Amino acid sequence: MVSKKIQQFDPVANLQEIEEKFEMFQILNEEGEIVNQEVDLQLSDDQLVELMSRMVFTRILDQRSISLNRQGRLGFYAPTAGQEASQIASHYALEKEDYILPGYRDVPQIVWHGLPLWKVFLWSRGHFVGGQIPEDVNVLSPQIIIGAQYVQTAGVALGIQKRGKKAVAVAYTGDGGSSQGDFYEGINFAGAFRSPAIFIVQNNQYAISTPRELQTAASTIAQKGIAAGIPSIQVDGMDPLAVYVATRDARRRAITGDGPSLIETVCYRYGPHTMAGDDPTRYRTSETDSKWEKKDPIVRFRKFLVAKGLWNEEKETEVIAKAKEEIKVAIKKADETPKQKVTDLIRNMNDGDLPYNLQEQFEIYAEKESK
Amino acid sequence: MAQMTMIQAITDALHCELKDDENVLVFGEDVGVNGGVFRATEGLQKEFGKDRVFDTPLAESGIGGLAIGLALQGFRPVPEIQFFGFVYEVMDSICGQLARMRYRSGGSLGAPVTIRSPFGGGVHTPEMHSDSLEGLVASQPGLKVVVPSTPYDAKGLLISSIRDNDPVVFLEHLKLYRSFREEVPEESYTIPLGKADVKREGKDISIFAYGAMVHESLKAAEALEKENYSVEVVDLRTIQPLDIETIIASVEKTGRAIVVQEAQKQAGIAANVVSEITERAILSLEAPVLRVTAPDTVYPFPQAEAVWLPNSKDIIATAKKVLEF
């Protein structure tokens, strides 16, 4: 026998090799130029314009939501500016039959999925009608517990699979959420069942104040999907075309039985964590802010579309006016919704008759609220 | 009718519901080929297929999330948490998510999930396998909590739980799984949730108990009978919500009561029963309502278990204090 020297497995080199393979996927650079010609976008001019319109609408929605919050006309609000590509372009690759499990910053996606804006405003104010999901809208209300939607997404995806539907379940969270146990359990379950799920980690660099570097030793969040045996990609989350294509491809794999995917969108939130007193200057420098603002998704997409002759100032003004009007109408509708009562909340505790304790409490509050 | 142990009655209930409703799904750790570590799901995968009865990866929070997501797709999930001591791993899914689904969605979304799980002491398990943690879930609005004490009740209550449109935590006492058999109808039947059962009628004192403590209470009642005390034993069966009517009617009849639970004394179900009695029936009482419980330590190491767990002697002693007050 000729002894053959087997090269010793080098775990350090192996990790390095894997991490180096996770190159950030980009199609449109900061100048609005296509840098990845090989990708077939399969988007018509109208679709490109629609995507831009939605992103502009969403930026306006963010600005108005912030000011409504400051006026005391909205409650809890987590700003979205900077994340339009990550949120809207990923959503643009979905279909109505797909089911979205959002985090608390992911209000725009569920609005574009069909949840009426006035309901979202009521949800923000803390009114139960805001949580009532119309039957034909496949979304949950934004999740407050970080990462809880991962395991639920695995469940919705398994349900979709068992029903034989051509649809996907989509979880949205952030970089902080990818440190939760539920992240690992959720992607692992979906992988094990080969269910049609897409897990979108919007790496906006900070979990409140804690920087991405402190969340994990992994050089990308995307690579965490490898351990669960699911296709994973890191995309430029400020590039709407890259986000769109990555989500579209993940969806195609999912509905053809190829299981779940993980997408890390590298992006930035310009605003505070929420409007409840977070001050980003405590943990971010203005240099960092302006570095990211140069990558702005709307700016680069505008450049791209203007160069193609698909977008101009007039069009943008039109979208902005439309957004402002729709927001105004939605706020008015939210204002007109009857005040909620404790008896309403008691009624929503269970199906059918109330148990004795709630029945007694219902009567007490009905009496109080009749005065 | 057939003679069944509690575990057989549970399997039978799952069988009935899998057969009657194609939306019922049974899943958890080792519930498939293995039929569950206690064989509660024995033969079910073989009969109903891997699509409806299936193993999951080993992660309780994942199982909880799976149940929620499947419910959102119109299924009626019946997940098993292998031991209720592992519930801490899935507390957010149960208390933070499942229990709040209907409330959070303004009544627009339901979560008809029945979480089955074994618990309870006296069988020398390693740590975290025997704890009575029913109080944790009973304190969460939005959950019903059921603890059967007999094979007949187990089957009827489990079928009702699965058919309920809201989440139910269904706790199966380990020691009762195979401790005795009784007549259980082979066909499907239901026992309403939230209804206690008078397991023994009496005139002098009411003993309220659930799970394994029902049997210790019945033993105590027999012994007290020999001393000419007529003892009523009420099996709560559902500990959240309580069956206030039956509890109060019993106290009004006997004028004396004790409440027995295997769990530690602090912040427990028994305390809740005592409060309800004093709020609603104080004028019927001839004596204070006392509790028989385990002491307020962490669940003991197996060698101390026999003394730590409440038993019929403890119940007799406490009952006598109340009877002789």
Side-chain angles (χ1 to χ4, degrees):
Chain A
M1 285 280 287
V2 183
S3 80
K4 192 177 163 193
K5 196 181 172 191
I6 298 168
Q7 207 186 344
Q8 201 190 335
F9 180 76
D10 182 344
V12 176
N14 188 51
L15 173 64
Q16 206 172 353
E17 202 179 308
I18 289 169
E19 293 199 324
E20 277 166 8
K21 280 187 181 161
F22 275 91
E23 254 181 86
M24 191 164 72
F25 174 61
Q26 191 185 54
I27 295 176
L28 199 64
N29 70 11
E30 292 170 28
E31 300 311 315
E33 299 155 351
I34 299 275
V35 292
N36 198 334
Q37 298 287 352
E38 294 137 53
V39 180
D40 184 6
L41 285 179
Q42 298 168 337
L43 282 171
S44 67
D45 288 353
D46 284 350
Q47 285 175 310
L48 290 169
V49 168
E50 172 63 18
L51 175 54
M52 178 64 175
S53 302
R54 289 185 184 193
M55 285 168 57
V56 171
F57 187 109
T58 302
R59 180 69 61 90
I60 299 302
L61 175 61
D62 184 59
Q63 291 168 357
R64 291 294 300 137
S65 298
I66 288 170
S67 77
L68 286 164
N69 171 280
R70 288 192 175 130
Q71 295 161 27
R73 299 183 69 197
L74 269 194
F76 175 80
Y77 183 69
T80 60
Q83 294 188 209
E84 290 86 356
S86 172
Q87 296 182 324
I88 303 304
S90 60
H91 177 261
Y92 200 55
L94 304 180
E95 299 293 339
K96 194 161 173 56
E97 57 269 26
D98 297 338
Y99 200 105
I100 300 179
L101 296 94
Y104 47 72
R105 204 179 307 285
D106 302 309
V107 165
Q109 298 96 305
I110 58 174
V111 169
W112 286 111
H113 213 57
L115 192 66
L117 197 50
W118 64 275
K119 286 217 175 214
V120 162
F121 289 153
L122 283 177
W123 176 81
S124 161
R125 288 176 178 182
H127 191 299
F128 78 95
V129 170
Q132 289 177 332
I133 310 292
E135 225 168 280
D136 62 335
V137 181
N138 294 318
V139 302
L140 280 187
S141 291
Q143 179 59 247
I144 298 300
I145 294 299
I146 307 289
Q149 64 270 49
Y150 279 109
V151 285
Q152 296 171 17
T153 300
V156 173
L158 184 62
I160 287 171
Q161 190 179 16
K162 287 190 183 297
R163 295 280 183 220
K165 295 181 193 167
K166 289 273 176 223
V168 293
V170 184
Y172 282 99
T173 58
D175 40 316
S178 71
S179 296
Q180 287 278 17
D182 276 355
F183 166 81
Y184 296 96
E185 293 191 25
I187 64 171
N188 188 59
F189 269 55
F193 292 116
R194 223 177 158 75
S195 306
I198 307 176
F199 300 98
I200 300 179
V201 178
Q202 303 178 84
N203 171 8
N204 68 10
Q205 313 305 320
Y206 294 89
I208 305 189
S209 68
T210 307
R212 152 65 187 85
E213 299 75 54
L214 292 181
Q215 292 296 340
T216 174
S219 68
T220 67
I221 291 169
Q223 75 198 57
K224 293 186 180 189
I226 300 301
I230 71 175
S232 310
I233 186 171
Q234 186 191 58
V235 303
D236 178 353
M238 307 297 267
D239 169 2
L241 297 181
V243 172
Y244 171 80
V245 168
T247 314
R248 179 197 70 191
D249 291 352
R251 186 179 188 279
R252 280 183 188 163
R253 284 194 297 273
I255 62 168
T256 50
D258 288 337
S261 297
L262 174 66
I263 299 171
E264 174 190 2
T265 63
V266 181
C267 57
Y268 199 70
R269 78 168 137 79
Y270 298 155
H273 161 64
T274 69
M275 294 303 292
D278 177 47
D279 173 10
T281 64
R282 292 172 68 89
Y283 53 86
R284 299 192 313 214
T285 63
S286 55
E287 288 78 47
T288 311
D289 287 348
S290 51
K291 184 187 107 189
W292 281 95
E293 279 161 16
K294 286 196 192 94
K295 299 175 192 282
D296 189 84
I298 293 178
V299 171
R300 79 169 77 171
F301 203 35
R302 186 189 291 125
K303 282 181 187 164
F304 170 69
L305 293 181
V306 168
K308 281 176 84 87
L310 294 174
W311 195 256
N312 54 37
E313 214 180 307
E314 196 189 330
K315 222 166 193 134
E316 188 147 336
T317 313
E318 202 180 293
V319 173
I320 292 169
K322 186 168 171 273
K324 286 183 176 166
E325 181 57 26
E326 280 188 30
I327 292 162
K328 209 169 95 186
V329 171
I331 278 289
K332 188 159 177 282
K333 188 149 187 202
D335 289 344
E336 285 164 3
T337 307
K339 264 177 87 175
Q340 78 187 341
K341 294 176 176 172
V342 173
T343 44
D344 296 326
L345 307 183
I346 291 175
R347 204 31 281 168
N348 289 335
M349 283 306 298
N350 63 282
D351 189 41
D353 293 340
L354 292 170
Y356 81 94
N357 52 334
L358 285 172
Q359 184 56 43
E360 289 174 357
Q361 291 153 13
F362 183 91
E363 284 156 20
I364 292 166
Y365 279 87
E367 168 71 17
K368 275 191 192 182
E369 287 172 337
S370 69
K371 285 172 189 161
Chain B
M1 296 276 254
Q3 289 280 322
M4 288 189 204
T5 59
M6 189 191 275
I7 195 88
Q8 287 169 331
I10 286 165
T11 312
D12 198 41
L14 292 170
H15 187 272
C16 286
E17 287 307 280
L18 280 161
K19 206 169 151 198
D20 282 359
D21 183 350
E22 58 182 18
N23 287 318
V24 171
L25 301 174
V26 171
F27 54 91
E29 296 157 7
D30 310 301
V31 306
V33 175
N34 198 37
V37 291
F38 294 103
R39 308 290 175 261
T41 53
E42 176 90 58
L44 297 178
Q45 187 179 64
K46 203 170 172 204
E47 182 165 350
F48 296 99
K50 285 182 181 166
D51 195 45
R52 305 208 34 222
V53 180
F54 54 95
D55 289 324
T56 65
L58 199 165
E60 284 77 19
S61 187
I63 293 169
L66 209 64
I68 294 166
L70 287 164
L72 289 170
Q73 286 296 308
F75 288 99
R76 213 165 261 278
V78 189
E80 176 178 299
I81 298 299
Q82 199 162 65
F83 287 90
F84 205 54
F86 308 165
V87 73
Y88 297 110
E89 295 287 340
V90 61
M91 278 308 266
D92 180 56
S93 277
I94 297 175
C95 293
Q97 309 293 328
L98 192 56
R100 294 160 188 255
M101 187 64 78
R102 189 175 294 282
Y103 172 84
R104 187 184 284 164
S105 67
S108 65
L109 301 171
V113 174
T114 300
I115 297 169
R116 286 185 43 250
S117 192
F119 81 107
V123 291
H124 304 298
T125 65
E127 202 185 350
M128 307 300 292
H129 287 64
S130 294
D131 297 51
S132 288
L133 301 175
E134 65 277 10
L136 284 182
V137 280
S139 71
Q140 170 62 50
L143 296 176
K144 295 186 181 81
V145 185
V146 176
V147 189
S149 72
T150 68
Y152 178 85
D153 284 354
K155 180 172 173 182
L157 288 167
L158 182 52
I159 291 175
S160 292
S161 300
I162 295 170
R163 292 182 187 177
D164 198 276
N165 287 333
D166 290 304
V168 177
V169 178
F170 189 89
L171 298 172
E172 303 162 3
H173 200 289
L174 281 168
K175 214 180 167 185
L176 300 180
Y177 268 160
R178 292 184 171 84
S179 61
F180 67 101
R181 289 170 192 272
E182 69 177 356
E183 292 283 322
V184 175
E186 276 159 86
E187 66 273 12
S188 190
Y189 63 96
T190 58
I191 293 173
L193 305 184
K195 289 277 172 249
D197 185 40
V198 179
K199 288 279 191 271
R200 178 192 170 103
E201 289 199 36
K203 296 187 304 247
D204 299 332
I205 187 170
S206 305
I207 302 180
F208 300 102
Y210 57 96
M213 287 301 122
V214 170
H215 301 283
E216 292 301 320
S217 300
L218 287 169
K219 248 192 258 174
E222 253 172 61
L224 287 163
E225 170 113 43
K226 287 180 189 138
E227 298 182 41
N228 291 322
Y229 290 117
S230 165
V231 180
E232 179 142 305
V233 177
V234 179
D235 179 358
L236 298 174
R237 297 199 296 198
T238 301
I239 57 171
Q240 183 61 47
L242 290 170
D243 179 358
I244 280 303
E245 275 178 38
T246 303
I247 293 170
I248 298 306
S250 179
V251 170
E252 283 172 350
K253 180 171 74 172
T254 61
R256 296 172 198 268
I258 65 170
V259 190
V260 188
Q261 68 179 21
E262 185 176 314
Q264 295 86 336
K265 196 168 198 174
Q266 61 187 62
I269 302 301
N272 192 28
V273 175
V274 175
S275 302
E276 294 286 5
I277 292 170
T278 53
E279 281 183 14
R280 291 162 198 271
I282 189 103
L283 296 178
S284 304
L285 291 174
E286 305 289 340
V289 183
L290 298 185
R291 287 174 284 172
V292 180
T293 72
D296 292 332
T297 71
V298 167
Y299 191 87
F301 301 112
Q303 292 207 352
E305 202 174 36
V307 183
W308 189 89
L309 287 167
N311 60 29
S312 58
K313 283 182 188 154
D314 302 321
I315 297 168
I316 291 165
T318 304
K320 278 189 177 172
K321 273 192 211 169
V322 173
L323 285 162
E324 291 160 10
F325 180 77

